[in-house]
């Protein structure tokens, strides 16, 4: 009897954390191949799901397939990163499945508060689990190489250190809930135009120091369950089949232990599934039966070593045993949306950046003379909580500016409210019909839509002055997946917006009444040409479903702003050297219509990263270029004093100590940034680079706090291509402690010893790039 039982178990073991080898052995080649290909069209019974036709979780992005015979459950992958993206309603039930809309990436990063980001991550992880999903497809970690990238809103910064630290905080929060993340898009996915085919040509140094560094920090500090390979090529090879990226760098150099999945493309022209398997890509999403067949045939013909398949299958099984699906977690479908709304409101407040204030803010309710405001701009009434495309979350509600101000005790002009609300109802219908041909995401299902601004003429504006104590103008921008931002209409402000700002400022200032501009955009916009007009400018980003409340908290001084920019706001977008090698919208249409005549076309078929390591402030600060708002900038309602810093070097560890004191009259938080200037050496360096940051607690007037920041000497290293190594040259380093890259409060010099770390010689460009030099 005992023998029969053993035999059955051997023939058909059920997966557990301790019998992965046994299960692997019991799998047929076909089953192994199936496990490496996502669940779309890849059914075992009714277990597989994809997109809106899901049978497990409606609206989830994909799955890994089930093999019930071996106790292997399907796992569910859902989009993020700003919350769980699933369908809010389902057939046959009146129950709703709305998820909390948290601040988008740029807003979250602008908090510079890793503890708070972890709290957001915990809430997102909890909703992922309670909505019966196993992995959230985020964080988005690509760098803001150009302000025109369409998906910058999902990403954190132009700086890899901020990116890595914020991502690690998010991942640690999500994964503390027993679900996984997919850190994306690995790597160098810095443009949306032709994203599925463009070859991003980049030096090994810029790749390692900028585009990969954030991922490296996240892997080392938060152990993501999964990483998503990007659509594009890097130096001639698709990321999804790029062994240098997915194995040499990710696993051999950094010690990544999780699984790699593809971005959502299926079969690629010019890329075989078996190349992806060999490169170390474990899961093809969303998955097609032909890919299963290719793997099976690849093994049978000897083109694909069985050892590679087994290696990836083992990693898949190791992933699966960690998931809630494997644990048969009983999802409630009822996360605590109320508690999470409080978290999103708080995190948005810390991410909002006060760009200008001539003293008119805050409007402390009760003590302020501002009781009624005239609200201008379509987005005051149609507030954009998040971005569109796969990054859009179906939120239960969005608090607009009317409601946010009302909740704070401030009324808005009824006449304007009526005009704008009627316009928005009309625009909803009109612009669904007349939407931009290239903007596939311009549908309600893809997220909150931005409608064109209506012209409010000077006479109507003047009429508002008498009944209002102040004016607010909201300038909105929306970008999404698959298309980059247009310089003229999305980065620059359009003539109607400029006129509105000028007319409102003229009319209200004539009556001695202040004007505040709120920027409701996921990414940077042009500010230099109009910032002198209003009294205050608030960058609210797309701050999640509680948006209007968060902005009102800042305006009324309930929360003292402490957000700081994680990217430079240039005077013109073209000031970034990357724009020389970035696709333009106009050009794109001619390319699409006429093709490239058989020849490769720059920025569409390939993009040369000629600016090399000079991205963002690394360029502006090294080449002494004027900017509109520098990296790290953000105002407060109070002031802070910094003590002289103490820098101690102990072997390979550096500690920086600084005391920050609130010298103003209201409580507030300060973000302290440590920039480092390297001594003259054999490797050319940017003028300064951010190597540490910390945020104080809420300091009362007169209160102070000692901040201690640790910097490993390896973080000071540059990538030395000749030696395939990280190299910190010995010498005297200057530690500059400031509240932006252009506002250094105090400095210290410390002697640092040489540090060398050999790594693989991966990702060499196929041809020489004409790199920018000092
Ligand atoms: C996007 C990913 C997303 C995936 C699944 C892709 O097009 O690039 O960010 O996670 O779709 O929806």
């Amino acid at each position: 009897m005992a023998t029969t039982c053993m035999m059955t178990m051997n023939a058909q073991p059920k997966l557990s954390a301790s019998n992965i080898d046994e299960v692997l052995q019991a799998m047929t080649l076909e089953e192994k191949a199936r496990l490496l290909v996502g669940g779309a069209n890849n059914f075992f019974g009714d277990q597989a799901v994809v997109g809106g036709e899901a049978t497990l979780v409606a609206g989830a992005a994909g799955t890994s397939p089930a093999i019930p015979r071996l106790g292997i459950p399907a796992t569910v992958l859902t989009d993020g990163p700003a919350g769980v993206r699933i369908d809010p309603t389902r057939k046959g039930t009146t129950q709703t499945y709305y998820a909390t809309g948290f601040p988008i990436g740029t807003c979250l990063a602008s908090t510079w508060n890793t503890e708070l980001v972890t709290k957001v991550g915990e809430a997102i992880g909890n909703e992922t689990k309670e909505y019966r999903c196993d992995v959230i497809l985020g964080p988005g970690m690509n760098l803001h190489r150009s302000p025109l990238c369409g998906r910058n809103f999902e990403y954190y910064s132009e700086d890899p250190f901020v990116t890595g630290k914020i991502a690690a905080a998010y991942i640690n929060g999500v994964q503390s809930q027993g679900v996984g993340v997919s850190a994306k898009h690995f790597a160098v996915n810095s443009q949306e135009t032709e994203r599925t085919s463009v070859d991003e040509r980049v030096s090994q140094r810029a790749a390692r120091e900028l585009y990969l560094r954030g991922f490296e920090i996240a892997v080392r500090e938060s152990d993501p369950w999964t990483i998503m390979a990007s659509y594009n090529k890097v130096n001639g090879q698709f990321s999804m089949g790029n062994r240098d990226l997915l194995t040499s760098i990710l696993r051999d150099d950094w010690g990544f232990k999780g699984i790699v999945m593809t971005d959502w493309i299926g079969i690629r022209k010019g890329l075989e599934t078996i190349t992806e398997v060999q490169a170390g890509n474990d899961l093809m999403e969303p998955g097609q039966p032909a890919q299963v067949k290719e793997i099976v045939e690849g093994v049978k013909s000897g083109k694909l070593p069985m050892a590679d398949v087994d290696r990836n299958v083992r990693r898949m099984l190791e992933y699966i045993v960690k998931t809630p699906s494997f644990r048969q977690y009983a999802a409630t479908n009822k996360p605590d949306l109320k508690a999470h709304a409080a978290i999103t409101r708080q995190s948005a407040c810390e991410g909002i950046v006060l760009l200008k204030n001539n003293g008119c803010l805050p409007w402390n309710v009760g003590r302020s003379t501002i009781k009624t405001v005239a609200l201008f701009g379509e987005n005051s009434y149609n507030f954009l909580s998040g971005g569109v495309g796969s990054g859009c979350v179906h939120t239960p509600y969005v608090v607009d500016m009317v409601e946010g101000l009302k909740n704070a005790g401030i009324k808005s002009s009824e006449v304007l409210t009526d005009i704008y609300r009627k316009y928005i109802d009309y625009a909803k219908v009109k612009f669904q019909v007349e939407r931009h041909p290239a903007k596939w995401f311009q549908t309600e299902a893809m997220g909150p839509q931005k409608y064109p601004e209506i012209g409010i003429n000077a006479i109507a504006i003047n009429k508002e002055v008498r009944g209002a104590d102040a004016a607010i103008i909201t300038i909105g921008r929306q970008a999404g997946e698959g298309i980059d931002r247009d310089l003229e209409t999305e980065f620059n402000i359009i003539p109607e917006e400029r006129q509105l700002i000028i007319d409102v400022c003229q009319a209200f200032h004539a009556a001695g009444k202040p004007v505040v501009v709120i920027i409701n955009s996921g990414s940077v916009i042009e500010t230099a040409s109009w910032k002198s007009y209003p009294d205050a400018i608030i960058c609210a980003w797309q701050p999640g479903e509680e948006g209007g409340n968060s902005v009102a908290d800042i305006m009324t001084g309930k929360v003292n702003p402490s957000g700081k920019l994680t990217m430079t706001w240039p005077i013109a977008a073209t000031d970034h050297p990357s724009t020389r090698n970035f696709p333009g919208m106009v050009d794109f249409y001619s390319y699409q219509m006429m093709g490239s005549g058989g020849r490769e076309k720059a920025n569409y078929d390939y993009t040369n990263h000629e600016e090399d390591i000079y991205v963002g402030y690394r360029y502006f600060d090294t080449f002494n270029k004027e900017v509109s708002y520098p990296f790290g900038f953000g105002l407060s309602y109070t002031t802070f004093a910094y003590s002289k810093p103490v820098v101690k070097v102990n072997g390979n560890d550096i500690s920086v100590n600084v005391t920050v004191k609130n010298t103003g009259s209201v409580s507030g938080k300060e973000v302290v940034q440590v920039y480092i200037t390297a001594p003259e050496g054999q490797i050319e360096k940017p003028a300064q680079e951010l190597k540490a940051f910390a945020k104080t607690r809420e300091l009362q007037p007169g209160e102070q706090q000692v901040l201690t920041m640790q910097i490993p000497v390896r973080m000071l290293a540059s990538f030395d291509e000749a030696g395939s190594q990280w190299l910190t040259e010995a010498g005297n380093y200057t530690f500059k402690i400031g509240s932006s890259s252009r506002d250094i409060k105090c400095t210290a010099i410390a002697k640092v010893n040489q540090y060398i770390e050999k790594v693989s010689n991966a990702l060499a460009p196929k041809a020489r790039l004409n790199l920018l030099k000092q």
Side-chain angles (χ1 to χ4, degrees), residues 598-658:
R599 276 206 316 274
E600 284 207 317
K601 185 162 161 56
N603 305 331
Y604 301 93
D605 299 308
Y606 65 89
T607 293
N608 288 338
H609 290 230
E610 289 179 331
E611 75 285 353
D612 200 28
I613 54 165
Y614 295 110
V615 171
Y617 72 87
R618 283 172 170 74
Y619 169 74
F620 292 103
D621 292 352
T622 306
F623 292 80
N624 286 319
K625 299 283 175 195
E626 222 188 302
V627 299
S628 187
Y629 294 109
F631 176 84
F633 175 82
L635 299 172
S636 165
Y637 297 143
T638 188
T639 49
F640 297 95
Y642 289 53
S643 73
K644 201 168 165 35
V646 178
V647 178
K648 283 197 188 128
V649 182
N650 184 5
N652 282 335
D653 300 310
I654 304 170
S655 71
V656 180
N657 257 282
V658 65

Side-chain angles (χ1 to χ4, degrees), residues 241-259:
N242 196 323
R243 200 186 152 78
D244 274 10
L245 253 186
L246 306 186
T247 296
S248 307
I249 294 178
L250 183 61
R251 298 182 193 277
D252 299 345
D253 290 345
W254 303 347
F256 176 66
K257 295 276 180 290
I259 61 161

Side-chain angles (χ1 to χ4, degrees), residues 59-62 77-81 85 136-138 140 151 154-155 182 184-185 189 192 195-196 228-231 261-265 285 389-391 440 481-482:
L77 319 169
T78 183
D79 262 309
R85 174 176 165 75
I136 182 142
L137 303 174
R151 280 183 100 171
E154 287 183 76
Y155 307 146
S182 194
K184 67 190 186 184
H185 309 87
N189 184 180
E192 287 300 290
R195 65 177 173 158
T196 60
M228 187 189 294
S230 59
Y231 285 129
M261 65 178 73
T262 65
D263 200 343
W264 259 239
I265 199 157
E285 286 296 335
S390 64
W440 63 274
E481 214 177 317

Side-chain angles (χ1 to χ4, degrees), residues 272-279 294-299 303-304:
E272 296 187 320
T273 305
I274 58 174
T275 309
E276 298 180 79
V277 173
Q278 283 182 289
E294 200 190 322
I295 296 171
V296 171
E297 282 170 5
V299 172
K303 260 172 85 183
L304 176 61

